[in-house]
Amino acid sequence: MATRLQFENSCEVGVFSKLTNAYCLVAIGGSENFYSAFESELADVIPVVKTSISGTRIIGRLCAGNKNGLLVPHNTTDQELQHLRNSLPDQVVVQRIDEKLSALGNCIACNDHVALTHTDLDKETEEIITDVLGVEVFRQTIAGNILVGSYCAFSNRGGLVHPHTSVEDLDELSTLLQVPLVAGTINRGSEVIAAGMTVNDWTAFCGSDTTATELSVIESVFKLREAQPTAIVDEMRKSLIDSYV
Amino acid sequence: MASNMFVVPQTRGTVLCCKCGISMAPNPANMCVTCLRSEVDITEGLRKHVTIMHCPECDSYLQPPRTWIKAQLESKELLTFCVKRLETDLKKVRLVNAEFIWTEPHSKRLKVKLKVQKEVLNGAILEQSYVVEYVQQDHMCESCTRIQANPDQWVASVQLRQRVTHRRTFFYLEQLILKHDAAAHAIKIKQMDQGIDFFFANRSHAVKFVEFLGKVSPTKSRHDKQLVSHDPKNNSYNYKYTFSVEISPICREDLICLPPRVATSLGNLGPLVICTKVTNNIALLDPLTLRQCFLDTEQYWRHSFKSLLGSRQLVEYDVFNIEVVSPEYNVGGSKYVIADAEVARVSDYGKLFYIRTHLGHILKPGDRALGYDLYGANSNDIELDKYKGLVLPEAILIKKSYEEKRQKKRGKPRPWKLKSLDMEVDESRGRANEQKMDSEYEEFLRDLEENPELRFNLSLYRNKDYQPSEMVSVSDGDDLPSVPLEELLADLELSEQEDGEDSMRE
């Protein structure tokens, strides 16, 4: 189910939150509305953790993670790191990495099996990603943009990419990620997909400016209509390549 | 760096419009054009109704604050004018196209369709066309109002006079004025005794005309003004200005006896001289020594003098014998040869004269020439009396006469014609004057035929009525001088069928 919400009057939900299959991170806002929206959806299933990273609220863009682990930039404070380690489930490995490109959320887009990264990422970082997140790493660009983490959002069931992505690129990415992909927009025509929404296998949260058309596209590509938390148990990799033309 | 790297062809995918969900190519706004149009109206805030002033008399439109622009309906000038009236609006958007939409000519409405472009949202450029309606209000422009109020009203007048008995100068001036379009602003032109009056609506036009006259003829002018009305409240005065321009009485082919002062100032030029050319300088030629001098307008008017004998007093002579005395001289562009000639007047073959003439290059025995009969003339000139001991030649020949050959061509139209100014003639003169005018005009035309330098400044037009005669003309050595066809301009005809020939230059 896709939900529309706002963080302090901003529709860029993906900037202030990080949603995975095992946990959810939420920024500390003035009012509790943002947090309660997440809680009402997710409380019984996964922990919803309020945090900041290096004192900022843009946690969605600074960290990258999936059900296996969470990577945080080098400027995360020790207290924040400790808080995260305490709050998250034990099987989630929280790792601080030393990387020049510290906005990991913008540089890395991942689900539980595959990750797409910025082309200039360090070799060591790539290895850490493979270890901690347990994924296969591909360096890619999306519609000519190197910030793959910003311009696409994908889960284990589907993905949404930048609207200007060409058909050939879409096919190539789909093959790599092994999920159906579609090019579309979020928040009334905005191209920065991952900033406008955050998604996991059974639910998605979008900015309130998202039009009905966009919402229906999201619900169909991420297969949210019939999704229930229990359905994740049987994971099936679809080798079918499906895209809207 | 392989230049023949394999590049994957990129095809653009389609996305769904974020509002209506139809499939479309992605654009910066990611909305289909219809949705974008419904969102944003770039013509918002632009004027759709404008009022323009139109003068029904002269079909012109007012561009505030004061200019009136003449334009036809649905013309390029009118379109430019309409777009200019919207200038402030069009600063906000970019104009791509403008065209007229047809409206009834008498509906007093003009419709213009404008296509504009503007950048909206995030970089998408939207193009939209809209219609502006112009309501035409009738309002007479100032010049038409003035003409309507009093058509004869003039503010400045130029009175052009020359104290001679013939009108040759005025015929020539008329052609010059036509060529330079100097009387374009004149509201009325009136022909007077010994001159022409020009009336203008503006003092500066009159001043410009007087300056033009000063450039083409040796003139002396003075000006006056007369108070018409006076507004004491804002101290403004309305005047009528009059310019009196007098042209010097010296004409071409006149025989002049120079006053002693002038003769000495010109280097002892023989007191008898012929005037060869009059522009704003007077060219004087001494026929016996072939010396030529120029008198500036100022110089002339400082010590003005009259001519001794004018072209009216020319008498025909028969040339019996010519003996060339000197080689050919080139004086001021024309060639002269001094010769001794044996001549007799056509009216009195009894008396033979042996005279010296400067026309040795064109006269041959058996020719006719025109000259001044000093032997028979009774000169009453003060200047002549001042010269003690001056021996006057018995006759001075001026030009060759083509009278016999003209007899053959009498009645046949010329291959060229001249235009004329629209002049009001003073009706108080009688019939006799008209005949005199006609014969003078005929002489003027003959003059033009004979003198190429005279034609130089004028525009001659091809005569449509002229057909060259079918008879092979018997060429008898000495042909009648005529205007070569290449010099003629084809008259610009603006007929309905638009077959006007453009005027060609020689």
Side-chain angles (χ1 to χ4, degrees), chain A residues 163-169 183-185 188-191 211 213-214 217 244-245, chain B residues 8-21 26-30 39:
Chain A
H164 290 181
T165 316
S166 67
V167 173
E168 289 82 14
D169 275 356
T185 62
R188 213 162 225 284
S190 164
E191 296 158 346
T211 62
T213 318
E214 289 164 342
V217 167
Y244 287 96
V245 206
Chain B
V8 183
Q10 305 279 340
T11 35
R12 275 175 79 108
T14 55
V15 283
L16 303 184
C17 162
C18 64
K19 270 187 85 169
C20 58
N27 67 37
N30 288 315
E39 282 274 307

Side-chain angles (χ1 to χ4, degrees), chain B residues 385-413:
Chain B
D385 297 335
K386 287 198 193 142
Y387 287 99
K388 308 269 188 307
L390 174 68
V391 176
L392 288 176
E394 285 149 343
I396 296 189
L397 299 179
I398 299 291
K399 58 183 181 181
K400 185 166 163 178
S401 163
Y402 297 98
E403 197 51 48
E404 288 176 333
K405 302 195 184 71
R406 292 215 184 275
Q407 305 268 357
K408 289 185 212 151
K409 284 203 88 182
R410 179 146 307 160
K412 295 219 185 91

Side-chain angles (χ1 to χ4, degrees), chain B residues 490 492 500-504:
Chain B
L492 185 64
E501 308 158 24
D502 282 339
S503 52
M504 299 169 323

Side-chain angles (χ1 to χ4, degrees), chain B residues 34-62:
Chain B
T34 349
C35 292
L36 202 53
R37 282 241 175 93
S38 65
E39 282 274 307
V40 187
D41 181 16
I42 56 177
T43 65
E44 189 185 4
L46 302 177
R47 277 182 296 173
K48 308 274 182 357
H49 290 273
V50 185
T51 314
I52 54 177
M53 299 290 179
H54 170 244
C55 174
E57 300 286 320
C58 53
D59 206 15
S60 43
Y61 296 85
L62 174 67

Side-chain angles (χ1 to χ4, degrees), chain A residues 13-32:
Chain A
V13 183
V15 174
F16 301 103
S17 62
K18 186 99 204 150
L19 179 62
T20 67
N21 287 329
Y23 55 89
C24 176
L25 301 178
V26 174
I28 303 169
S31 73
E32 288 292 306

